[in-house]
Amino acid sequence: MFKTILPTLVGAAIVLFARLVTAVRGVWQGVDPVPRQRIYFANHGSNGDFVLIWTVLPPALRTQTRPVAAADYWLGGKLKPFIGREVFNAVLIDRNPQTRRDDPVWQMVAALDDGASLILFPEGTRNTSDELLLPFKPGLFHVAQARPDVELVPTWIDNLTSVMPKGKVIPVPLLCSVTFGEPLAVIDGEDKAAFLKRAEAALATLAEEVAR
Amino acid sequence: MNTPAEFTTLILGVLAILVVATVIAQVLKARMARDNDVIDNLVARINAWWGMVALLTLAMLGGQAGVVILFALLSFAGLREFLTLTAKRRADHWALVVSFFVILPVQYALIWADWYGMFSIFIPVYAFLLLPIVIAIHGDTDGYLTRVAETQWGLMICVFAASHVPALLSLEIPGYEGKNVLLVAFLVVVVQLSDVLQYVWGKLIGRRKIAPRLSPSKTWEGFVGGVLNASAIGAGLWWMTPFTPLEAAGLSLVITLMGFFGGLVMSAIKRDKGVKDWGHLIAGHGGFIDRLDSVVFSAPIFFHLIRYFWSVA
C-alpha cells in the first residue's frame, strides 16, 4: 500500500516545490494539451528541466509522459534511482557506447510502443556554454524515423538555468515558463543532418519568440 | 481574536463595494453582444479582488503574526518577480540565495520583534554593504555595478519598503492601543481604492494621457478623479484612525500621490525591461508587483509621518 502511494506523494511534493520556487507557467503556443503521443524535445541547462515540463503537463498527460534520462546520473546513490524509476518512470539510457547493453533508440521506441510520450533533451548534456543550444545528438532523428506518427514538439524551458545553474544545490526563486511550439515531423527522404538542423532551428526560433 | 469593532464595519463596507462591483460587471457582460476584452478583464480583476480581500481580512484577523507572515510572503513573490528581470550572472547565485533566504526573513523577523532601530537600517545599510562583497568575491566583473545595483533596488522596493506595512503595528500611539491593525487597513484600502478609482475614472472620461511612453492607461482625468475621490473616502474613514478628518484627508492625499507615482516608477522599469506585466499569478491584474506597487511606495512615507507626528516611540 505505502509502496504504491509513496511515488505519487513524492511526485506531488516535487510538483508543489517546483511551483513554489518558479511559479512555472505552461504556454501551449503551437499545440494543445491533448492526449496525443508526442516527443517533447527541449533545451537542457539544469537537472530540474524535466521536472518543470512534467509540472506544467495536465495530470492526465503527466502519468503517460516519461523523461529520457542518463542512467549514469540517475542510478547513482539511493534516492536518485527511486525518484528516477518510481516517481518519474524515466527511460534510463546508458550514454557510454562502450558499456551499454541496450540501444537507446530501441529503448525509446519500446517506450513509445507501450503508449508513452517522451521528454527528450537532444543536446545530450546540460548546456553550460554561452551558446543558445548545443548540437543535437542523432537519437531524435532515429526515433522519429522509426515512429513517424509521433508528434515532435519543440519545448523551450525559460530561465531555469538562473534558478539552478549546474553545480548549485540551493535554487534561487525566479519565474520560469515552458513554451510548447508547433510540432514537426521527418520529411520523406530528409537526411539526418538536415532534420537535426531543422529541429534545432525550430527550438531556437521558439526561444527567440519567448524572449520577445 | 480581538480585532477592533471598526474593523468589522470596514470589512462590511468593502464587501458591499465588491458586491456592487460584481453586479455591475455581470450586467455589463450580459449586455455585450460579443466577448469584450475590457469587460472580461474587469470581471477577472473583480474576481481576483474577492480573493485578495479574503486573504487580507484573514491576515488582519490573525493580528501581528498574520500581517507579518502575509507581507513576508508578498515580499517573496514580489522579489521573485523583480529579480527575474534584473541583470544577473552565474556568479550572483549566492547573493540571490542570501537575498531570498537570509535578508528577507531577517527583515520580517526584525519587524516582528518591533526593533525599529534595526529594521529601518538593516537593508539600506547592512544588506547594501554585504551584497556587493558577496558578489565581488566571485570575481566576475562583467556588468558588476548594474548587477549589484539592480539586486539592491529589488530588495529596497520588494522587501524594505513593503515591510513598512506590517511595521505600522509597532507604532505606539497614545489612546490608540490595540487598534494599529486599522492603520494597515486604512493604508491598503485608501491606496487600492485610489488605484481602482483611477482606473474607473480613466475608463469613463479619460482622454489626455499623462505619460504615454510609460503607461498607456494613465490619464489626467483618471489621476485627478481617482486621487481626489480616494482622498475624500480616506477623510470619511477618519473614525477608524487616530487622525481628525482633515488630517485623514491630508494623509490620504499623500499616500494616493505616492501610490500613483509608485505605479509610474514601476511601469518605467517594466518598459525598460520590455515586459507588460511583472508576472501572471493574479488573474486580470498581472503579477504581485503590478498590484502592490502603489502600496509599497506609500507605506514607508505613511509609516514615518505617523511616527513623527502621532507616535511616542
Side-chain angles (χ1 to χ4, degrees), chain B residues 21-43:
Chain B
T22 306
V23 170
I24 291 177
Q26 292 303 332
V27 168
L28 284 175
K29 194 175 164 63
R31 278 204 193 162
M32 290 290 157
R34 258 173 288 152
D35 278 346
N36 179 312
D37 283 348
V38 175
I39 303 295
D40 286 346
N41 178 259
L42 179 69
V43 172

Side-chain angles (χ1 to χ4, degrees), chain A residues 19-25 159 162-166 168-176, chain B residues 76-77 79-81 83-84 88 90 92-94 96-97 100-101 138 274 278-281:
Chain A
R19 286 196 194 282
L20 283 178
V21 174
T22 69
V24 62
R25 174 174 57 132
N159 216 20
S162 300
V163 172
M164 222 169 146
K166 195 170 187 170
K168 305 289 185 197
V169 184
I170 307 175
V172 180
L174 298 170
L175 304 183
C176 294
Chain B
F76 177 86
L79 191 64
R80 189 170 64 176
E81 290 171 356
L83 294 182
T84 296
K88 58 192 153 312
R90 238 176 92 82
D92 302 337
H93 193 80
W94 274 109
L96 297 174
V97 167
F100 277 101
F101 300 119
H138 287 84
W278 284 99
H280 56 87
L281 283 179

Side-chain angles (χ1 to χ4, degrees), chain B residues 96-258:
Chain B
L96 297 174
V97 167
V98 166
S99 299
F100 277 101
F101 300 119
V102 179
I103 297 174
L104 190 155
V106 168
Q107 173 70 9
Y108 278 91
L110 294 171
I111 296 275
W112 200 325
D114 293 342
W115 188 359
Y116 172 79
M118 196 55 172
F119 78 62
S120 57
I121 61 159
F122 176 62
I123 290 174
V125 175
Y126 290 92
F128 178 71
L129 297 176
L130 171 80
L131 270 184
I133 297 173
V134 173
I135 295 175
I137 284 171
H138 287 84
D140 181 349
T141 54
D142 276 3
Y144 174 76
L145 183 56
T146 310
R147 284 149 49 203
V148 170
E150 291 192 354
T151 307
Q152 177 70 16
W153 223 84
L155 284 170
M156 282 300 289
I157 288 295
C158 300
V159 183
F160 179 74
S163 72
H164 282 72
V165 180
L168 290 167
L169 298 175
S170 68
L171 294 168
E172 283 174 40
I173 302 163
Y176 198 65
E177 290 81 7
K179 290 188 169 185
N180 280 27
V181 77
L182 293 174
L183 290 174
V184 174
F186 179 81
L187 170 70
V188 173
V189 166
V190 171
V191 173
Q192 295 290 357
L193 265 181
S194 167
D195 283 3
V196 171
L197 290 165
Q198 286 176 42
Y199 168 91
V200 172
W201 280 110
K203 285 272 180 268
L204 290 179
I205 57 164
R207 294 281 176 276
R208 280 157 295 189
K209 293 189 161 74
I210 291 185
R213 284 181 57 192
L214 286 185
S215 172
S217 60
K218 284 190 168 57
T219 62
W220 281 105
E221 293 82 355
F223 166 62
V224 173
V227 164
L228 289 184
N229 247 191
S231 300
I233 293 172
L237 292 174
W238 64 274
W239 46 268
M240 56 183 278
T241 69
F243 323 130
T244 65
L246 197 63
E247 289 165 352
L251 280 169
S252 297
L253 187 63
V254 171
I255 57 180
T256 51
L257 283 175
M258 280 310 291

Side-chain angles (χ1 to χ4, degrees), chain A residues 67-176:
Chain A
V68 179
D72 51 287
Y73 177 82
W74 285 99
L75 291 185
K78 280 204 170 127
L79 186 64
K80 282 192 283 185
F82 168 75
I83 292 178
R85 280 203 179 120
E86 305 293 326
V87 180
F88 293 118
N89 192 15
V91 179
L92 294 174
I93 58 171
D94 187 345
R95 288 189 287 190
N96 185 346
Q98 260 74 54
T99 59
R100 68 181 166 215
R101 276 171 287 169
D102 294 317
D103 177 13
V105 172
W106 182 87
Q107 283 180 280
M108 289 186 256
V109 169
L112 288 172
D113 289 346
D114 282 343
S117 287
L118 298 178
I119 296 171
L120 184 64
F121 301 110
E123 293 168 274
T125 186
R126 281 174 285 165
N127 180 2
T128 49
S129 74
D130 287 331
E131 300 296 317
L132 188 67
L133 291 168
L134 300 173
F136 280 12
K137 306 265 183 230
L140 179 65
F141 172 74
H142 294 303
V143 177
Q145 220 180 19
R147 293 293 175 267
D149 290 341
V150 177
E151 275 188 344
L152 311 174
V153 181
T155 304
W156 183 257
I157 303 166
D158 194 47
N159 216 20
L160 192 62
T161 13
S162 300
V163 172
M164 222 169 146
K166 195 170 187 170
K168 305 289 185 197
V169 184
I170 307 175
V172 180
L174 298 170
L175 304 183
C176 294

